[in-house]
Amino acid sequence: QVQLVESGGGSVQSGGSLRLSCVVSGYTYTSVCMGWFRQAPGKEREGVAAIHDGRTSYADSVKDRFTVSQDNSKSTLYLQMDSLRSEDTAMYYCAATKDGYYYTVPVLLPSEYDYWGQGTQVTVSS
């Protein structure tokens, strides 16, 4: 059974940093895309960052502030968030596609992802 478990959320002041982690278990794969998404109250879930085969994609709103990465075993996904703003406040989710992802560019569409974690809350106060 595939499980994704996020951690690292919390409350921080504007301009601060947080590092989210997502541990993936029960998933043996050859090629998948993994991503971070967020959802604020009353808003749709949106893609934040994704990584596949060393390539990364970022939403315009987080470029140059957030960095997505994986450990060497690819069992843990990270999201380093710097220069946080109040508008970054949301529940953050990690997700993975089904095995067999071979697109060149990591996708940021939630509908392309099949496995999801439960989320970790990030609150940024101004």
Side-chain angles (χ1 to χ4, degrees), residues 12-17 81-86 88 124-126:
V12 64
Q13 289 194 330
S14 181
S17 298
M81 305 186 295
D82 299 316
S83 302
L84 283 162
R85 306 166 180 167
S86 58
D88 295 318
V124 184
S125 57
S126 56

Side-chain angles (χ1 to χ4, degrees), residues 13-115:
Q13 289 194 330
S14 181
S17 298
L18 283 174
R19 190 192 196 202
L20 306 184
S21 299
C22 172
V23 176
V24 183
S25 62
Y27 198 8
T28 301
Y29 58 82
T30 302
S31 181
V32 299
C33 185
M34 298 195 69
W36 287 98
F37 298 80
R38 66 186 181 187
Q39 188 166 19
K43 294 189 176 181
E44 292 187 355
R45 190 169 296 190
E46 62 173 353
V48 174
I51 186 168
H52 166 63
D53 198 23
R55 297 182 178 90
T56 57
S57 295
Y58 295 94
D60 288 343
S61 59
V62 306
K63 275 180 184 176
D64 300 323
R65 299 190 299 122
F66 290 11
T67 304
V68 61
S69 62
Q70 288 175 295
D71 67 350
N72 288 338
S73 68
K74 297 186 179 179
S75 63
T76 305
L77 183 71
Y78 302 101
L79 184 68
Q80 177 66 41
M81 305 186 295
D82 299 316
S83 302
L84 283 162
R85 306 166 180 167
S86 58
E87 53 264 40
D88 295 318
T89 295
M91 184 71 78
Y92 283 72
Y93 301 88
C94 70
T97 63
K98 284 183 179 176
D99 194 15
Y101 184 91
Y102 292 106
Y103 295 117
T104 301
V105 178
V107 67
L108 291 174
L109 292 172
S111 59
E112 294 292 323
Y113 288 76
D114 301 280
Y115 303 106

